[in-house]
Amino acid sequence: MQKLEQVYEGKAKKVFKTDDPELYIVDYKDDATAFNGLKKGTIAGKGVINNQMTNALMRRLEKAGIPTHFVKELSERETLVKKVSIVPLEVIIRNLSAGSFAKRYGVEEGIVFDAPTIEFSYKNDELGDPLLNSYHALALKLATAEEIDTIKKYAFAVNDVLKAFWSECGVILVDFKLEFGRLSDGTIVLADEISPDTCRLWDEKTHEKLDKDRFRRDLGGVEDAYAEIMKRLLAHDAD
Ligand code: TMP
Ligand code: ASP
């Protein structure tokens, strides 16, 4: 598979064309940003971990019947994926209160919800990814009603699979962000990444943060936390 010109560079990944018009190569960087790019840094080795973790979780999700863009891991940092056009919605599922939820509603972090919540943000850096509901998404023509229903169904299914898997690893899946894309025939598939950059992952016993909040909040031990969460995944991913 030949890596051709770059089509996109995001905060944490680059995307390249290939000699197959329906396939792209994603290349994961060690760059980290927070607060819509205001805070910048590097997390050594993050690109390798995020690539390998995303792929392990996407394989697991495919097995559970959730379609994804994943095709094949090519190297430590590179993965072959199906070409999609990204639906400009950040889909956030929460099992416990944390982050912007805790701040917005004035509650402490760590409250366990009776049922998971779902929320959408409009993926738009200039506007700071504003929160919106499905009516707003329809009004802005970001997705059709049918697509939104599919996305919601897949997002909750992803939560069921990942919550159970992380629990086997002694980790609480607090919340996470997903992105979906459309294949050229319009089929909705899970895209982007699922990594410590996009999930809150707490040690079950100590509630130690094993995710990007260590970088966002200057807690230290960022690289060690990424290494630890990857180690736990690998220890439980043998099937
Ligand atoms: P939040 O509590 O800041 O809204 O974040 C919810 C989840 O979404 C958390 O697991 C981190 C993830 N997230 C991203 O992946 N990208 C983002 O730009 C933001 C703000 C959050
Ligand atoms: N993607 C966000 C940004 O750079 C970072 C975050 O995960 O909080 O703004």
Side-chain angles (χ1 to χ4, degrees):
M1 185 58 54
Q2 235 192 318
K3 195 172 177 181
L4 302 177
E5 80 254 31
Q6 185 174 304
V7 281
Y8 172 77
E9 177 161 9
K11 298 188 189 98
K13 297 185 287 297
K14 295 177 184 175
V15 181
F16 296 86
K17 284 189 181 172
T18 70
D19 44 19
D20 182 332
E22 294 302 325
L23 298 175
Y24 278 169
I25 291 172
V26 182
D27 190 339
Y28 286 74
K29 307 189 283 185
D30 285 351
D31 298 350
T33 64
F35 315 117
N36 202 16
L38 280 179
K39 183 182 171 86
K40 288 191 174 71
T42 304
I43 302 173
K46 169 172 90 81
V48 175
I49 288 173
N50 286 6
N51 183 39
Q52 294 174 350
M53 184 177 293
T54 296
N55 295 341
L57 297 176
M58 293 252 182
R59 281 189 206 104
R60 199 165 273 275
L61 293 169
E62 284 277 357
K63 273 191 199 152
I66 299 152
T68 79
H69 72 165
F70 175 74
V71 177
K72 189 176 176 226
E73 192 165 295
L74 298 176
S75 72
E76 275 194 328
R77 289 175 184 270
E78 294 167 310
T79 292
L80 190 65
V81 297
K82 293 175 187 163
K83 177 187 168 179
V84 295
S85 77
I86 291 286
V87 177
L89 291 173
E90 300 204 339
V91 182
I92 294 162
I93 296 273
R94 301 178 192 270
N95 295 304
L96 282 77
S97 63
S100 68
F101 181 98
K103 197 171 169 203
R104 183 178 315 118
Y105 302 117
V107 296
E108 65 195 285
E109 296 198 308
I111 300 165
V112 182
F113 301 151
D114 291 340
T117 66
I118 190 163
E119 72 207 38
F120 300 111
S121 299
Y122 178 21
K123 195 173 148 60
N124 183 319
D125 281 341
E126 271 173 41
L127 299 175
D129 299 339
L131 193 67
L132 45 61
N133 65 32
S134 50
Y135 294 90
H136 300 141
L138 279 177
L140 293 167
K141 297 189 170 33
L142 306 182
T144 66
E146 197 192 351
E147 286 174 335
I148 292 170
D149 279 350
T150 303
I151 286 171
K152 279 189 194 159
K153 185 183 76 179
Y154 287 160
F156 284 119
V158 168
N159 186 47
D160 289 341
V161 174
L162 296 188
K163 214 174 103 174
F165 173 65
W166 284 119
S167 170
E168 286 172 30
C169 305
V171 170
I172 302 170
L173 177 61
V174 174
D175 56 32
F176 57 96
K177 185 264 301 178
L178 300 174
E179 294 184 23
F180 291 85
R182 299 180 187 98
L183 299 178
S184 50
D185 69 358
T187 307
I188 293 284
V189 299
L190 180 64
D192 194 51
E193 67 181 278
I194 311 172
S195 72
D197 277 21
T198 62
C199 303
R200 285 197 174 91
L201 300 160
W202 293 357
D203 177 82
E204 187 177 76
K205 293 203 182 77
T206 64
H207 283 195
E208 186 190 356
K209 297 180 199 316
L210 300 171
D211 57 60
K212 194 177 163 189
D213 269 352
R214 302 205 74 82
F215 169 81
R216 295 189 189 99
R217 302 180 187 191
D218 293 321
L219 300 176
V222 185
E223 278 88 359
D224 287 350
Y226 276 70
E228 170 65 22
I229 196 75
M230 188 63 195
K231 195 179 92 186
R232 294 210 198 173
L233 178 142
L234 289 173
H236 291 86
D237 199 46
D239 55 31

